[in-house]
Amino acid sequence: MNKKVLNIVGLNKSYGDRKVLRNLSFEVYAGEIFGFIGPNGAGKSTLIRIISGLTSPTSGEVFVCGQSVQKNFEKAVSNIGVVMENCQLYTYMTGRQNLQYYASLIKGITKDDIQRVIKIVGMENRIDDKVKNYSYGMRQRIGLAQALLNKPQLLILDEPTNDLDLKSINWLQEFLINFENTVLVVSH
């Protein structure tokens, strides 16, 4: 049986009187592509923020690779890579400089790791161009490269196909089919 990569147990989140997540529980196993789908305002972004440790649940717990995000934050999130819908990059820098900066924030990331993710996302020919000259799809690829730097066991993609052209969508589908680790796709 595959190991649990993500385990959500009785998760609740409220903002004042407004309940955003109610007793949410599910498991995602190694190698799965799991879709979390809901309309705008359903709590999808809140769930991503809780899984990645950016906000705390009102109650319940999140485990990533057996580690509690609430109790053992660093070990848990070291297994996660996240690509938000509108990834924020420094537009005055090149794609490579963005990756180098991001890599400097994570222990143990090497120049070889940076080169590895550049190749994975197919940006070898444009990686040294300024981000301000990138298309939306190219920026998303750099965001994906950032998320892959630490070789995550769990890759979270927030609305990954929004505003992408058909060629980029096809590329992303092919990437997901061949990705060996676990993916949580969050979309409406």
Side-chain angles (χ1 to χ4, degrees):
M1 184 171 183
N2 284 343
K3 72 173 188 168
K4 290 180 197 173
V5 172
L6 177 63
N7 188 12
I8 307 286
V9 182
L11 203 62
N12 292 284
K13 179 64 177 178
S14 297
Y15 295 103
D17 292 336
R18 189 170 62 97
K19 293 181 180 180
V20 179
L21 299 174
R22 293 185 186 111
N23 199 31
L24 182 63
S25 296
F26 64 90
E27 300 166 343
V28 183
Y29 291 88
E32 288 184 334
I33 298 174
F34 187 90
F36 191 75
I37 299 170
N40 292 334
K44 300 181 305 293
S45 295
T46 298
L47 176 63
I48 293 171
R49 285 194 299 272
I50 291 172
I51 293 171
S52 56
L54 298 176
T55 192
S56 298
T58 304
S59 63
E61 200 158 3
V62 175
F63 297 90
V64 178
C65 295
Q67 300 293 324
S68 169
V69 173
Q70 290 74 32
K71 296 176 183 167
N72 202 351
F73 174 78
E74 282 190 39
K75 281 191 176 179
V77 300
S78 70
N79 294 296
I80 300 173
V82 180
V83 182
M84 296 304 289
E85 180 178 5
N86 294 311
C87 64
Q88 299 296 312
L89 300 170
Y90 294 104
T91 58
Y92 63 91
M93 293 167 58
T94 67
R96 184 183 310 276
Q97 289 169 330
N98 270 273
L99 291 174
Q100 289 168 336
Y101 172 72
Y102 187 74
S104 74
L105 304 174
I106 304 169
K107 280 186 185 175
I109 302 297
T110 66
K111 288 181 180 183
D112 288 341
D113 291 322
I114 294 170
Q115 204 54 43
R116 172 184 56 83
V117 298
I118 291 168
K119 186 175 182 181
I120 288 171
V121 301
M123 288 289 292
E124 301 96 330
N125 294 333
R126 299 287 307 271
I127 196 64
D128 293 310
D129 293 354
K130 301 272 186 195
V131 170
K132 68 182 176 185
N133 297 319
Y134 285 176
S135 68
Y136 182 79
M138 294 166 80
R139 290 175 192 219
Q140 288 297 93
R141 285 184 188 219
I142 296 298
L144 179 58
Q146 284 181 344
L148 295 173
L149 275 171
N150 66 329
K151 300 178 184 170
Q153 295 300 305
L154 174 63
L155 177 63
I156 302 172
L157 303 177
D158 182 23
E159 304 287 357
T161 59
N162 275 9
D163 296 326
L164 292 182
D165 60 28
L166 187 56
K167 184 178 178 183
S168 295
I169 291 171
N170 289 337
W171 178 88
L172 181 62
Q173 288 173 338
E174 188 69 26
F175 167 80
L176 291 175
I177 289 168
N178 293 308
F179 189 63
E180 295 179 0
N181 293 342
T182 306
V183 181
L184 174 64
V185 179
V186 179
S187 182
H188 61 271

